[in-house]
Each structure stands twice: as C-alpha cells, then as structure tokens.
Amino acid sequence: MLFHILHSFAGKDADTMLLRDLKSEFLIPDKEIIINKAFRARGQDGVLASLTLQDGKQTLWSVCRSSIRDACDVKCELTTNRDIFRCGMDAAPGMFPCEARIQGHKITFGGGRSRAVFPENVGGYMRLQHFAEQKVDLSVFDGTDLIHVMIMAWEVNGEVPFSEISPPFDGDIVLKIREIVRQQYIGRTYDLPFGVALPDERRSFFDNENNVERYFYINRLARYDPRGSMQATGENTCPSGFGLAYVEYEAEDDIQFLFYEKEYLDSAPERAGRTIGIYGSTTEKGPHGLKLQTCVLKKPVPKDFDGHISIELFSRDIRVPEETIVI
C-alpha cells in the first residue's frame, strides 16, 4: 500500500530574533536579473520580480496576492490542532512552477517556499524593500492588506545562464505551474466501534466546490502496526505494545479523505514538528465496488482495545491540474 504523509511544523518563538537569523533573511544577490512582469494564475495576481544568485543558490522570485481567509489572520489565537490544520485551507491554490522558458532557455525548479508579509516576518519586509529599490512595479498590491501579500521563492535546478538572459521580456516567458493537491474542509463527526465490521451505511457530505452531494462508505476501524516500512514514523507516534487506529473506506469518484480522532483535533496544538496525517490507497476494490482506501489516525490503541472512537472526516483532497501561462 502506498502511503502519503503530510507534515506541519510550528515556527520559532516570534519574540526571539538573533542576528544570525536576521542575516539569513538578507537578500543581497551576487547576480540578479530584474524581470518585473505582472501575471495572473490560479485566480491570483502576481509580479515575476527577478532571478537571483546568492550563496550559490539560484532563485526565481515573485510577489503574489493570496486569499488566506480572515479566520486565519496571524493576529488570531490558534488554540487547537483543528485551528492549525484549518488555517490557510481556504486560500487560493498554491503556485509552484516546475518549468520556465526565458528567451529560449529552459529552467526547472526543485522546490519553493512562500511567506506572508506581516509585522513578525522581518524577511518579508526586507524582500519587498529590495524589489522596490530595484524598481519592480508592485503597485497592484497598493490596496492589499499585507497579510494577503506572499513572497514566493522558487529554487532553480542546475545553472541559469545569467550572461545570456537580458530584458526586454515581452512575450518571452512561459511558466508551467505544477499540479498540487489542496484540502477542502468537511468537518463531519462519527462515533464508531473499533475492530468490528461496520453497518453497510451509505454516508454523504456536500461538496461546496461542485455544489453536489457526494457519497462514501466507512467499512471499519482497525489497528495498524506502524513498524516495518513505516518504522521511523511509528516509533515517534506509537508506544511499544500499541498500534495506530486506521479508517478503511470507499468513496464516490475515488475521493481521498483525511480523518482524525476528534479528541486530537480538539486538543491544544503541539509546538514541535509532527506528522499530521498518513493516508493511502490501492487498486483493490472494496465490498461496495469502489477503490479501497485507508487513513491512519494519530491514535495509539492497545492490542486488546475494543471501545468506540469518535472520528472526524476532516477534509478531502482536491487536485489542481498543471497550468501553463505566457507572461
């Protein structure tokens, strides 16, 4: 079975800033090509700012508008794991390119990062100042709350031929945005017996994206031994003599879900890096003729556990397809 793991990491204490941390935020390129071209992709306005070489790393920079929901404003208090996981779920789909073509040169990307610009994010302000000093036109964001302004850094694979690329860039940049998976919040709770076959019940949720009712079946809650191929993860989340509970289900259109134990979602957030979801599927069909899928809960259970577990159908995967734009 193929498993996918999502990770969430808490940030550093916002009240602490060391000089070495600040220096790591400086944007002082050894080489830079100013691009300064506005674009729109996946419902977001953006400005392709520049290509830089700094500390041996080559990066394509952009400034974008994000639609992070008001409930996730950085000023609000995040008191539960549910708050943490919901934060940013209603934002516009992310933009991480897999390829760009600039003046006939193909550039590929190995990864990327994004940061909102807000008072605690010194690096965001420093980058905006750098682009302003380089005469990048950021006027499209003049009326935008800074919490909705994102600095995007896309890390370049290989070498950019800086000496062979120069303005003007009219109609000469093609950007291919990679496919991503984002989450749609559902929030349905079920109190279910553990380790027994569940009733043949057709369940549903309303798909707000497509304005339609979707159907699924929960077949069972069972115990998963996280050792073996998942040993490293299991040792961090499951005491000796315990296993992790998992949900086995089938869903219309092979929709992939994230389930959590409700008690875990209601509890105070952890501050260290942690695994927040393990889920997977096979080509095997379940008893209802749909693809059999699983989701491992962050719930250690002893070998003889036979009680009930209150679980929440937290979210579903939505695939956002690859997109190519000409800037």
Side-chain angles (χ1 to χ4, degrees):
M1 180 172 290
L2 175 64
F3 283 100
H4 305 274
I5 304 175
L6 300 181
H7 295 281
S8 175
F9 295 94
K12 295 180 179 179
D13 186 343
D15 296 329
T16 302
M17 172 62 76
L18 303 178
L19 178 58
R20 66 171 175 265
D21 298 328
L22 181 63
K23 289 169 66 176
S24 70
E25 301 290 348
F26 292 169
L27 182 54
I28 308 176
D30 301 311
K31 295 181 181 179
E32 184 168 24
I33 300 171
I34 302 301
I35 298 176
N36 192 22
K37 287 184 70 68
F39 67 92
R40 185 171 179 81
R42 291 186 174 164
Q44 301 177 67
D45 292 317
V47 176
L48 207 56
S50 72
L51 266 169
T52 64
L53 172 63
Q54 181 175 332
D55 299 330
K57 297 179 180 179
Q58 299 182 97
T59 306
L60 178 63
W61 295 90
S62 73
V63 184
C64 302
R65 179 182 286 118
S66 175
S67 60
I68 296 176
R69 61 191 179 89
D70 294 339
C72 192
D73 190 295
V74 293
K75 299 174 185 177
C76 76
E77 186 176 3
L78 303 176
T79 59
T80 68
N81 284 315
R82 181 182 288 99
D83 294 336
I84 296 290
F85 300 159
R86 280 224 63 191
C87 184
M89 282 181 61
D90 296 335
M95 291 194 298
F96 293 99
C98 52
E99 180 182 311
R101 289 190 177 272
I102 302 178
Q103 294 182 350
H105 296 281
K106 179 180 176 180
I107 300 171
T108 60
F109 303 92
R113 59 192 184 276
S114 63
R115 289 188 177 183
V117 180
F118 51 85
E120 292 82 3
N121 183 1
V122 176
Y125 282 118
M126 296 173 73
R127 285 158 173 71
L128 280 181
Q129 180 175 339
H130 172 81
F131 297 138
E133 289 173 347
Q134 299 301 317
K135 309 302 182 184
V136 174
D137 184 3
L138 302 175
S139 59
V140 68
F141 305 110
D142 282 352
T144 303
D145 189 320
L146 286 176
I147 184 57
H148 298 291
V149 177
M150 305 292 291
I151 307 294
M152 311 287 291
W154 299 324
E155 298 170 4
V156 176
N157 287 328
E159 298 290 329
V160 174
F162 279 83
S163 61
E164 300 177 30
I165 299 175
S166 61
F169 296 106
D170 294 342
D172 202 26
I173 298 179
V174 178
L175 199 62
K176 184 181 292 184
I177 310 296
R178 71 176 71 243
E179 178 190 82
I180 63 166
V181 177
R182 66 183 183 88
Q183 300 293 308
Q184 176 191 7
Y185 180 68
I186 299 175
R188 293 288 185 90
T189 301
Y190 308 97
D191 187 57
L192 301 174
F194 184 82
V196 300
L198 297 176
D200 186 6
E201 181 179 350
R202 190 188 192 206
R203 306 174 190 271
S204 68
F205 73 95
F206 189 74
D207 181 353
N208 293 316
E209 292 274 330
N210 300 290
N211 200 35
V212 66
E213 199 79 11
R214 300 283 190 183
Y215 298 95
F216 66 98
Y217 301 87
I218 299 178
N219 296 336
R220 61 175 178 151
L221 294 181
R223 181 181 177 275
Y224 163 66
D225 185 350
R227 289 150 184 86
S229 62
M230 296 297 293
Q231 186 172 0
T233 299
E235 289 175 350
N236 291 330
T237 61
C238 188
S240 177
F242 284 67
L244 292 177
Y246 73 89
V247 184
E248 181 185 278
Y249 67 94
E250 300 168 59
E252 181 185 56
D253 297 328
D254 297 333
I255 293 171
Q256 198 160 41
F257 293 135
L258 268 178
F259 290 90
Y260 292 105
E261 184 198 14
K262 185 177 183 299
E263 182 181 355
Y264 172 69
L265 288 175
D266 291 338
S267 63
E270 302 168 9
R271 298 304 300 170
R274 61 196 180 279
T275 300
I276 64 171
I278 308 174
Y279 57 105
S281 63
T282 69
T283 57
E284 181 183 352
K285 298 292 185 181
H288 304 96
L290 303 171
K291 186 167 70 172
L292 200 60
Q293 304 194 74
T294 59
C295 181
V296 180
L297 304 176
K298 192 181 176 74
K299 171 67 175 178
V301 292
K303 292 181 179 181
D304 57 354
F305 181 78
D306 62 356
H308 281 64
I309 298 179
S310 183
I311 66 171
E312 182 171 316
L313 172 50
F314 182 74
S315 64
R316 61 162 291 196
D317 282 1
I318 296 179
R319 294 194 175 275
V320 182
E322 184 179 276
E323 179 179 348
T324 299
I325 60 174
V326 179
I327 303 175

